[in-house]
């Protein structure tokens, strides 16, 4: 994949067929209303195509189709070993179309093509494959009953799952939901972000090719307040799974309460602390990880290490190492395989990030590097990776999720203060600790209120471990067998013998 040059990718972009219609009952079709919206690339502002703008009528249709598919049993009652094979084929097809999907992802949301090919696509295929492979290896339970009773504890698919996903890892977040939802036999209606609908739409066709029956996987592109809301309020959606901001996550809980009490599982935002103690085993490695933790994916990462907590005794030596490391992360055209920082997803997000940079200045933080929009002449939305020092945890840039490449450096004197600052946030998605002291690593790790804790690294994990948040970072977990809990109901059956 990496052998392609920028001009190869540009040529492919020209030849690319962009499918913007909704996908319902195994085929692409226009929104019921016929409405569309423009899909613009943040790479250079080019028009990629027109995308169906779905609304309530499409939600009603897709949920009906999904319900009928579920009730037919074609997928929901297929033997697990067969569902496994179909999902393995689906994963194979995602990989086989890897370059096309990577290109769609990069054009649609601006991330470097080298990340789309090496991270997003393989991880997405792996999420589908891992979930599929697991499904014929999970057993139900027999209760410890009296002699004349047989108590069966079984798991059943919930039925119709609506999945609403964000734009930062569009394909990957989709597949984190789709893998376990489909493996357990559910029907799915996916609503991708209006900012990045293209890969979700493309894989719907691949799902059919893989052998997933019509109607089991449907995709409705469109806006949150129209089709997203319609799905969240729908009386025949059993479970709503979401990745996105905490603000919308809270709204979805209200919609569930106002409608049918559908189960709601939320992966939301973060403001993750990356804590570097003076006894960190390798300060250079820690500095490089700190830079990557804020620059990778343009900082548009829920687990971005956006608060760098540094022990004051090493601050003057450590922070310059981070500045140095961040110089290696330069915005460039995402279709160039050398580029490590692409464009922010759109103008709205760019302006949002720039307004936080202004807030850093206004609140008295000290800019060390970056801080500006760049490459404006390209028509794209690029912002330099940025570091503010002298930040305290009460400043807006330390409290609010920026979702861009802006790092806040906060000093601390001791372990107790580090833990207090780290936990002083409404979020609880991830945290990292750098220390050579084994006891300190464990004790601080235990004290951190976060769903993922990394020791002497930033951002570890794969499909084998659950991923999700404490506090306002959400509930439930994606990945691992724990994710299957979200897509199944437990049933107890008592048989009198
Ligand atoms: P967002 O909350 O604005 O939108 C997410 C999705 O919700 C989109 O598809 C959007 O159209 C939809 N939506 C918006 N309003 C809605 C409504 N009223 N009803 C129904 N749906 C609605 O988030 P975003 O800007 O797309 O993504 C960035 C956010 O996602 C960040 O907060 C980030 O931390 C979070 N995120 C979390 C994780 C995680 O796993 N915890 C992973 C990636 C991103
Ligand atoms: Mn887009």
């Amino acid at each position: 994949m990496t052998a392609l040059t920028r001009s190869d990718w540009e040529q492919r972009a020209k030849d690319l067929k962009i499918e913007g219609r909704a996908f319902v009952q195994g085929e692409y079709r226009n929104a019921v209303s016929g409405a569309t919206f423009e899909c613009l690339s943040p790479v250079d502002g080019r028009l990629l195509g027109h995308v169906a703008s779905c609304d309530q009528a499409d939600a009603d249709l897709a949920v009906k189709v999904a319900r009928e598919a579920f009730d037919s049993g074609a997928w929901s009652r297929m033997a697990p070993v067969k569902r496994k094979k179909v999902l393995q084929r689906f994963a194979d097809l995602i990989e086989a179309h890897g370059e096309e999907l990577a290109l769609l992802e990069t054009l649609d949301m601006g991330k470097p093509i080298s990340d789309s090919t090496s991270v997003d696509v393989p991880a997405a295929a792996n999420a589908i494959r891992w979930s599929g492979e697991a499904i014929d290896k999970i057993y139900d339970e027999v209760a410890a009953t009296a002699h004349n009773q047989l108590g069966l504890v079984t798991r059943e698919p919930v039925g119709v799952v609506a999945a609403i996903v964000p734009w930062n890892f569009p394909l990957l977040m989709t597949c984190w939901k789709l893998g376990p939802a489909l493996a357990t036999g559910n029907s799915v209606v996916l609503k991708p972000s209006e900012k990045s609908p293209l890969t979700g739409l493309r894989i719907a066709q691949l799902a059919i090719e893989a052998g997933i029956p019509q109607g089991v996987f449907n995709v409705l592109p469109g806006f949150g307040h129209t089709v997203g809301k319609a799905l969240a309020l729908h009386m025949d959606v059993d479970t709503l799974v979401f990745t996105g901001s905490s603000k919308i996550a809270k709204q979805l809980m209200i919609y569930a309460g106002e409608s049918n009490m559908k189960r709601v599982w939320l992966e939301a935002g973060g403001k993750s602390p990356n804590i570097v103690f003076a006894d960190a085993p390798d300060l250079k490695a820690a500095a490089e990880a700190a830079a990557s933790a804020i620059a990778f994916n343009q900082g548009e990462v829920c687990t971005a290490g956006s608060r760098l907590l540094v022990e004051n005794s090493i601050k003057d030596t450590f922070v310059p190492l981070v500045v140095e490391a961040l110089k290696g992360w330069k915005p460039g055209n995402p279709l160039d395989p050398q580029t490590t920082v692409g464009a922010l997803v759109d103008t709205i997000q760019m302006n949002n990030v720039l307004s936080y940079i202004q807030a850093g200045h206004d609140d008295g933080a000290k800019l060390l590097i970056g801080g500006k929009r760049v490459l404006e002449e390209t028509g794209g939305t690029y912002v330099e990776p940025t570091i503010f020092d002298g930040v305290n945890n009460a400043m807006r840039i330390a409290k609010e999720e920026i979702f861009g490449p802006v790092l806040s450096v906060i000093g601390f004197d001791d372990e107790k203060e580090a833990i207090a600052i780290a936990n002083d946030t409404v979020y609880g998605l991830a945290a990292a600790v750098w220390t050579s002291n084994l006891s300190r690593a464990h004790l601080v790790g235990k004290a951190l209120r976060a769903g993922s804790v990394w020791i002497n690294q930033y951002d570890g994990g794969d499909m084998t471990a659950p991923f999700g948040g404490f506090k306002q970072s959400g509930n439930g977990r994606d990945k691992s067998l724990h994710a299957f809990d979200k897509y199944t109901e437990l049933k107890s059956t008592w048989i009198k013998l």
Side-chain angles (χ1 to χ4, degrees):
M1 283 194 185
T2 44
L4 296 173
T5 64
R6 174 170 166 186
S7 59
D8 295 333
W9 286 113
E10 285 289 5
Q11 188 55 49
R12 288 184 182 209
K14 282 201 193 85
D15 301 339
L16 193 62
K17 183 179 175 298
I18 304 264
E19 179 56 76
R21 289 173 298 171
F23 192 86
V24 181
Q25 186 71 342
E27 60 184 34
Y28 291 106
R29 48 174 98 180
N30 294 324
V32 172
S33 72
T36 60
F37 62 94
E38 285 187 342
C39 182
L40 301 175
S41 175
V43 171
D44 50 13
R46 79 182 76 169
L47 177 67
L48 293 170
H50 291 87
V51 174
S53 186
C54 294
D55 62 21
Q56 166 107 43
D58 303 278
D60 288 344
L61 177 66
V63 171
K64 181 167 167 285
V65 159
R67 174 65 61 191
E68 284 166 5
F70 182 77
D71 289 345
S72 80
W75 181 250
S76 56
R77 294 197 289 272
M78 186 186 278
V81 65
K82 289 197 178 157
R83 283 207 299 265
K84 173 181 77 175
K85 289 196 175 122
V86 172
L87 290 174
Q88 286 172 322
R89 257 199 313 273
F90 187 21
D92 291 345
L93 283 167
I94 290 173
E95 271 167 359
H97 292 80
E99 289 177 351
E100 180 193 353
L101 289 167
L103 183 56
L104 283 171
E105 202 80 311
T106 286
L107 290 170
D108 203 359
M109 68 69 67
K111 72 171 67 200
I113 191 73
S114 51
D115 291 344
S116 300
T117 54
S118 68
V119 179
D120 297 71
V121 169
N126 187 46
I128 301 288
R129 185 178 290 119
W130 193 95
S131 306
E133 283 173 347
I135 198 62
D136 65 345
K137 298 166 190 71
I138 299 172
Y139 294 77
D140 288 329
E141 298 163 19
V142 178
T145 54
H147 184 67
N148 64 342
Q149 291 278 6
L150 178 59
L152 303 178
V153 183
T154 53
R155 285 187 176 278
E156 297 184 356
V158 294
V160 175
V161 173
I164 300 180
V165 298
W167 46 261
N168 61 334
F169 291 91
L171 181 62
L172 184 56
M173 294 303 104
T174 293
C175 290
W176 280 8
K177 314 292 189 203
L178 212 47
L182 291 177
T184 46
N186 297 284
S187 293
V188 176
V189 179
L190 170 73
K191 195 210 83 68
S193 169
E194 60 278 12
K195 297 178 199 266
S196 61
L198 300 181
T199 48
L201 284 170
R202 181 65 185 94
I203 63 166
Q205 180 70 50
L206 301 180
I208 295 287
E209 269 181 53
I212 292 171
Q214 288 183 6
V216 169
F217 175 36
N218 309 279
V219 186
L220 301 181
F223 292 88
H225 62 272
T226 55
V227 66
K229 180 176 176 183
L231 288 169
L233 281 170
H234 206 287
M235 294 301 286
D236 203 29
V237 167
D238 298 291
T239 288
L240 176 61
V241 289
F242 171 80
T243 296
S245 63
S246 300
K247 175 173 170 239
I248 302 300
K250 291 180 186 186
Q251 187 59 49
L252 298 182
M253 297 175 97
I254 294 172
Y255 291 151
E258 285 173 349
S259 55
N260 65 341
M261 242 170 93
K262 57 181 66 66
R263 285 85 180 99
V264 185
W265 301 102
L266 307 162
E267 298 283 352
K271 194 74 195 177
S272 299
N274 182 14
I275 309 170
V276 183
F277 286 99
D279 64 0
D282 181 344
L283 286 180
K284 188 151 180 284
E288 278 164 9
S292 158
I294 198 62
F296 175 68
N297 211 51
Q298 301 74 244
E300 297 164 328
V301 181
C302 52
T303 54
S306 51
R307 289 186 299 148
L308 179 60
L309 277 49
V310 185
E311 190 162 352
N312 281 324
S313 62
I314 55 159
K315 204 157 158 281
D316 290 346
T317 48
F318 183 69
V319 174
L321 295 177
V322 182
V323 172
E324 203 46 45
L326 202 65
K327 288 180 187 162
W329 293 83
K330 270 211 169 48
N333 187 303
L335 291 174
D336 183 338
Q338 306 305 319
T339 293
T340 51
V341 181
L344 295 178
V345 71
D346 65 4
T347 310
I348 299 172
Q349 183 61 10
M350 178 185 67
N351 288 334
N352 207 10
V353 170
L354 292 172
S355 77
Y356 274 111
I357 290 173
Q358 189 55 47
H361 290 298
D362 294 347
D363 291 350
K366 182 174 169 231
L367 182 76
L368 296 185
I369 184 174
K372 290 190 306 293
R373 178 178 186 185
V374 288
L375 303 174
E376 196 171 343
E377 67 284 1
T378 62
T381 43
Y382 301 84
V383 173
E384 293 172 310
T386 298
I387 301 179
F388 279 106
D389 196 1
V391 178
N392 71 57
N393 215 35
M395 292 181 185
R396 275 169 290 175
I397 57 170
K399 277 168 94 144
E400 294 172 27
E401 184 181 44
I402 299 174
F403 226 58
V406 182
L407 179 64
S408 295
V409 181
I410 304 171
F412 67 84
D413 282 326
D414 57 24
E415 213 171 284
K416 198 163 157 252
E417 190 185 9
I419 293 167
I421 297 171
N423 286 337
D424 177 22
T425 167
V426 299
Y427 296 111
L429 193 56
V433 183
W434 298 77
T435 176
S436 305
N437 180 328
L438 182 68
S439 295
R440 168 182 270 173
H442 280 287
L443 291 171
V444 175
K446 280 202 245 190
L448 292 169
R449 308 257 299 138
S452 293
V453 171
W454 299 302
I455 308 294
N456 294 331
Q457 60 180 328
Y458 202 91
D459 213 7
D462 58 23
M463 279 302 291
T464 62
F467 178 87
F470 284 27
K471 301 198 276 182
Q472 292 183 35
S473 289
N475 63 331
R477 295 293 181 266
D478 279 331
K479 308 204 288 182
S480 85
L481 294 181
H482 294 286
F484 287 45
D485 295 346
K486 301 196 287 194
Y487 302 97
T488 51
E489 289 282 12
L490 278 179
K491 179 176 282 180
S492 298
T493 305
W494 284 86
I495 303 169
K496 181 90 188 282
L497 303 177

